[in-house]
Amino acid sequence: MYDILIVGSGPAGLTAAIYALRADKSVLVLEKETFGGQITLSPHVENCPGFPHISGSELGEKLLDQAMGLGAEIDMGEVTGIRRQGETCIVSTAEGSEYAARAVILATGSRHRPLGVAREEEFIGHGISYCAVCDGAFYAGREIAVIGGGNSALQEAVMLSDICKKVTVVQNLAVLTGEKRLADKLDAKDNVDFIYSTVVTALEGEKELTALHLKNTETGKESRLSLDGAFVCIGQIPENEPFREHVTLNDYGYFEAGEDCLTRDPAIFVAGDCRSKRIRQITTATADGAVAAIAACRYLDK
């Protein structure tokens, strides 16, 4: 029996573990893929306080080492559900294991929706990025594309247009779906172009991305766009469905929880990118981790 079981080992989950351990609670962290979470995919992180420059993998390793140094137990496992036995939470995994805990923190994160074309994973950090706040500065003075036409894509395009030589917005629909004020702001800029009704069919380059192969969905015409990098902004995918019974999900599949990280089940808390929020960054994830852990400790100490 653990005091707190944490699902997910990204910045939110590991921060929650650190805070819970410092409150003298026993902690198990379950992770199904990569310890450290999605941040480990970023080769350069320059927006984490205290680290002017650090790789995502190194940052994830430091978080993991700190949690383990305080006594966290770490295990691999894909959590498929939670059931209650009185005051106890029984957490089950796809591997057939079950764990008992007095409280659970869900820090399942969300993953960027990929383009789904060949070599995409190969170019991550080498021309393909999913976050302008994280990686935009590396493309200052260069030519880039923003793939997507919703609010997130347009916000990133606005940010990138201030530092990049040229920004091309590639939208799969005939119109932009983001706010008109953002579209108007981009339309007024001389260094921003728009390509509509177009999808990416292939990525070109040896070690670094050098071009996108495009196809117009209305005419079938194919084209090639030379560039230095592409920012993919076609949404994120939360993986919260296994927990719907215990935590309310919004229309997009995110946990419907406020800044207090509480849910309708008093023994279950949420933290990080899996939660409904406007800003998803390392700092907001770690803040959630601290809030959720403190809330869980208060629940246990009642």
Side-chain angles (χ1 to χ4, degrees):
M1 170 79 76
Y2 295 91
D3 289 326
I4 300 175
L5 187 148
I6 299 171
V7 182
S9 70
L14 291 175
T15 299
I18 291 166
Y19 270 73
L21 290 160
R22 287 173 56 83
D24 202 28
K25 300 294 186 283
S26 59
V27 174
L28 170 66
V29 180
L30 290 177
E31 170 59 53
K32 71 173 183 176
E33 291 180 347
T34 304
F35 291 111
Q38 279 197 92
I39 192 62
T40 60
L41 298 176
S42 180
H44 308 288
V45 177
E46 295 184 335
N47 60 351
C48 182
F51 297 98
H53 176 83
I54 189 171
S55 70
S57 59
E58 186 181 359
L59 180 59
E61 185 177 340
K62 286 181 179 294
L63 285 166
L64 182 63
D65 287 347
Q66 185 174 357
M68 293 181 68
L70 289 169
E73 291 189 36
I74 309 289
D75 203 355
M76 295 294 294
E78 180 180 355
V79 176
T80 55
I82 303 171
R83 71 178 190 275
R84 294 295 294 269
Q85 286 186 353
E87 297 295 312
T88 302
C89 298
I90 306 298
V91 177
S92 56
T93 69
E95 294 76 18
S97 299
E98 289 192 339
Y99 303 87
R102 297 169 60 205
V104 173
I105 296 175
L106 299 174
T108 52
S110 66
R111 57 189 176 89
H112 296 285
R113 190 182 300 278
L115 287 169
V117 298
R119 303 184 69 194
E120 181 173 2
E121 188 171 341
E122 175 186 341
F123 282 120
I124 294 175
H126 301 280
I128 290 289
S129 175
Y130 302 90
C131 177
V133 173
C134 308
D135 302 327
F138 301 113
Y139 295 91
R142 306 173 77 180
E143 298 187 5
I144 61 96
V146 173
I147 303 168
N151 277 341
S152 295
L154 300 188
Q155 287 168 351
E156 300 228 329
V158 168
M159 180 187 307
L160 291 164
S161 67
D162 289 335
I163 61 173
C164 294
K165 180 180 179 181
K166 183 177 181 181
V167 175
T168 302
V169 177
V170 181
Q171 165 70 319
N172 65 331
L173 301 176
V175 296
L176 299 174
T177 56
E179 295 178 10
K180 185 178 184 299
R181 65 178 182 83
L182 293 172
D184 289 345
K185 190 170 184 178
L186 287 170
D187 196 44
K189 290 178 175 283
D190 294 332
N191 65 332
V192 177
D193 288 338
F194 300 90
I195 300 178
Y196 295 100
S197 302
T198 297
V199 295
V200 178
T201 58
L203 306 175
E204 181 183 324
E206 293 185 9
K207 294 183 178 180
E208 301 287 333
L209 180 69
T210 57
L212 300 178
H213 289 228
L214 307 173
K215 183 177 181 178
N216 186 291
T217 57
E218 295 181 352
T219 65
K221 181 180 178 180
E222 297 183 354
S223 59
R224 178 180 177 276
L225 177 65
S226 297
L227 41 62
D228 299 301
F231 289 80
V232 181
C233 308
I234 54 176
Q236 293 193 330
I237 307 173
E239 298 174 299
N240 298 333
E241 192 62 33
F243 313 104
R244 177 184 288 274
E245 180 181 347
H246 300 278
V247 185
T248 302
L249 305 185
N250 67 14
D251 293 340
Y252 302 98
Y254 291 98
F255 292 132
E256 195 65 85
E259 298 290 336
D260 56 11
C261 298
L262 304 179
T263 74
R264 66 173 185 257
D265 188 320
I268 299 178
F269 308 83
V270 299
D273 288 358
C274 59
R275 182 174 72 79
S276 56
K277 53 166 55 178
R278 292 188 62 185
I279 307 298
R280 291 183 170 89
Q281 293 289 300
I282 298 171
T283 48
T284 63
T286 55
D288 274 7
V291 171
I294 291 170
C297 290
R298 286 175 177 166
Y299 164 76
L300 295 176
D301 292 341
K302 286 182 180 179

